[in-house]
């Protein structure tokens, strides 16, 4: 099983520690329409924030890794529940949402060195508003 498969399996089970085991110490996390977070500690903070505000499961997943094993990509559907209001976003009232998303990866020494995630924020806002 590839590190990307393990990463998403951990995501879907809410196992942040297992997700952190998949990334490098200097991981670069490119957030959808946000700032780049560098390092495992900042990534862990982001995961804790997301777990507080959202419950999500990714389905219909397709994962691709290049022949050299240095880059990867995944396409999926995000199935979520908005649990707690996230600053600057609509008020959370337990709304559910479903939207396509994708992630791109740099891989190094069997771990994820960069993860960039994209989804349509305007579509998400429409669904929870």
């Amino acid at each position: 099983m590839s590190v990307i498969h393990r990463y998403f399996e951990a995501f879907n089970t809410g196992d942040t520690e297992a997700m952190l085991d998949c990334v490098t110490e200097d991981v670069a996390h490119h957030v959808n329409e946000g700032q780049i977070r560098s390092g495992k500690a900042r990534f862990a903070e982001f995961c804790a924030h997301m777990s507080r505000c959202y419950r999500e499961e990714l389905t219909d997943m397709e994962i691709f890794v290049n022949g050299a094993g240095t880059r990867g990509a995944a396409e999926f559907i995000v199935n979520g529940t908005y649990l707690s209001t996230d600053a600057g976003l609509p008020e959370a009232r337990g709304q559910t949402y479903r939207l396509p998303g994708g992630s791109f990866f740099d891989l190094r020494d069997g771990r994820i060195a960069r993860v960039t995630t994209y989804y349509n924020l305007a579509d998400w806002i429409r669904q929870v508003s």
Side-chain angles (χ1 to χ4, degrees):
M1 178 186 301
S2 78
V3 68
I4 296 172
H5 284 92
R6 289 192 316 271
Y7 174 85
F8 284 123
E9 184 176 272
F11 178 93
N12 275 344
T13 61
D15 189 346
T16 301
E17 287 304 313
M19 288 175 65
L20 292 171
D21 286 343
C22 293
V23 302
T24 61
E25 288 298 324
D26 64 345
V27 65
H29 181 216
H30 298 242
V31 182
N32 189 70
E33 298 189 38
Q35 300 299 313
I36 298 170
R37 292 177 175 82
S38 297
K40 191 181 271 194
R42 302 247 0 248
F43 184 71
E45 290 170 5
F46 175 82
C47 290
H49 169 81
M50 291 298 288
S51 292
R52 182 178 54 78
C53 293
Y54 310 92
R55 181 176 51 246
E56 294 180 330
E57 180 182 12
L58 308 180
T59 59
D60 303 305
M61 179 153 316
E62 292 292 337
I63 295 175
F64 309 91
V65 177
N66 71 351
T70 57
R71 295 181 66 196
E75 184 177 20
F76 43 81
I77 299 295
V78 180
N79 304 275
T81 303
Y82 190 24
L83 303 172
S84 179
T85 302
D86 201 345
L89 295 173
E91 182 181 346
R93 299 179 312 280
Q95 307 93 308
T96 59
Y97 52 92
R98 181 176 164 84
L99 64 153
S103 293
F104 301 92
F105 302 90
D106 285 341
L107 306 172
R108 184 176 72 231
D109 300 325
R111 297 195 188 273
I112 296 167
R114 174 190 58 90
V115 57
T116 303
T117 300
Y118 292 105
Y119 58 88
N120 186 326
L121 181 60
D123 183 19
W124 180 85
I125 289 172
R126 275 191 300 278
Q127 291 185 48
V128 300
S129 291

